[in-house]
Amino acid sequence: MPMRFLHDQKDMWLFPVKVGKGKNWLPTAIIVGGTAAFIKEDPALERKVRQTDLFTDYNKVLKSSVSGGLIAIIPVSFYAVSLVRHDSYGQGTGLLAGEAVLNDSVLMVVMKAITRRARPSEFARNGAYNDTFFATHNSFLGKGSSFPSGHAMMAFSVADVFARRYRHHKWVPYVAYTLATAISFSRVTTGAHFPSDVFIGAAMGFAISHFDVLRH
């Protein structure tokens, strides 16, 4: 696992070199363009979401502690059950999910520390939501920063691991990605993140799992 993690990190941080050589430029352009479009629309979208009571019950069900707990508990419990059942494939799936989450954490901390984006909850419900980047000093290493959404990154990484490893069960990908989407969307409705934070977080989490961790 340590050697795999180091290999993952090497691939992650050298990815811009591949793009510079003309590889993977199309998906990169789509993600960058989509993020830019969401950043432009973030203020209007966030005001609409925070000014409605439509998601009150939804937010109670998928509050931060619950959604974060699900991301951690699912791989750990799956690994434990597989260990008891002597299911090496299931154990491997749990470890791969943990590997993906660990990779997510490193990239997330670096990006949050650099961007220091204020969270929507730091503004009034009908606020302007302008000048959000490089605007918060709430916590060490950017933990209080909004960009990107760590929950979205990790949810989609874990979802992709299970969806790919158990794709022979047709229902698994639907359940995995639906739960990841629900967790990610809750980050917007609770005022923890802007839509662009969630979009790029989900995209990077999927990419790290799909094209790095599972590629081996």
Side-chain angles (χ1 to χ4, degrees), residues 49 52-64 66-67 125 182 185-187 189-190:
V49 168
T52 180
D53 295 327
L54 183 64
F55 303 107
T56 301
D57 293 334
Y58 180 76
N59 293 340
K60 290 180 181 178
V61 174
L62 281 178
K63 56 186 178 181
S64 180
V66 173
S67 57
R125 288 178 178 267
F185 184 66
S186 73
R187 307 306 290 158
T189 59
T190 56

Side-chain angles (χ1 to χ4, degrees), residues 14-87:
L14 290 180
F15 180 76
V17 176
K18 294 182 180 180
V19 177
K21 293 180 179 180
K23 299 178 180 179
N24 308 115
W25 64 268
L26 182 57
T28 302
I30 292 173
I31 293 173
V32 172
T35 303
F38 270 114
I39 289 176
K40 182 178 181 297
E41 299 298 326
D42 275 343
L45 292 173
E46 195 63 39
R47 276 194 295 270
K48 289 181 180 179
V49 168
R50 295 192 66 198
Q51 289 176 1
T52 180
D53 295 327
L54 183 64
F55 303 107
T56 301
D57 293 334
Y58 180 76
N59 293 340
K60 290 180 181 178
V61 174
L62 281 178
K63 56 186 178 181
S64 180
S65 58
V66 173
S67 57
L70 285 173
I71 295 170
I73 288 173
I74 290 175
V76 171
S77 59
F78 194 85
Y79 177 84
V81 171
S82 298
L83 188 64
V84 172
R85 295 177 59 189
H86 303 289
D87 177 6

Side-chain angles (χ1 to χ4, degrees), residues 1 18 41 65 71 79 87 92 107 109 112 131 146 161 207:
M1 179 66 76
K18 294 182 180 180
E41 299 298 326
S65 58
I71 295 170
Y79 177 84
D87 177 6
L107 183 59
V109 167
K112 283 179 175 290
D131 300 321
S146 183
V161 169

Side-chain angles (χ1 to χ4, degrees), residues 96-163:
L96 285 169
E99 180 184 340
V101 167
L102 188 59
N103 283 303
D104 291 337
S105 300
V106 174
L107 183 59
M108 176 193 70
V109 167
V110 172
M111 290 189 66
K112 283 179 175 290
I114 292 173
T115 58
R116 302 197 323 274
R117 189 181 195 185
R119 293 184 183 274
S121 56
E122 296 180 47
F123 298 85
R125 288 178 178 267
N126 60 345
Y129 298 104
N130 292 327
D131 300 321
T132 57
F133 286 93
F134 314 109
T136 187
H137 304 278
N138 282 351
S139 58
F140 182 61
L141 288 179
K143 183 180 178 182
S145 176
S146 183
F147 188 90
S149 167
H151 281 69
M153 288 180 72
M154 296 174 190
F156 270 88
S157 277
V158 172
D160 188 59
V161 169
F162 280 91

Side-chain angles (χ1 to χ4, degrees), residues 173-188:
Y174 290 105
V175 172
Y177 290 126
T178 297
L179 181 57
T181 300
I183 289 174
S184 300
F185 184 66
S186 73
R187 307 306 290 158
V188 177

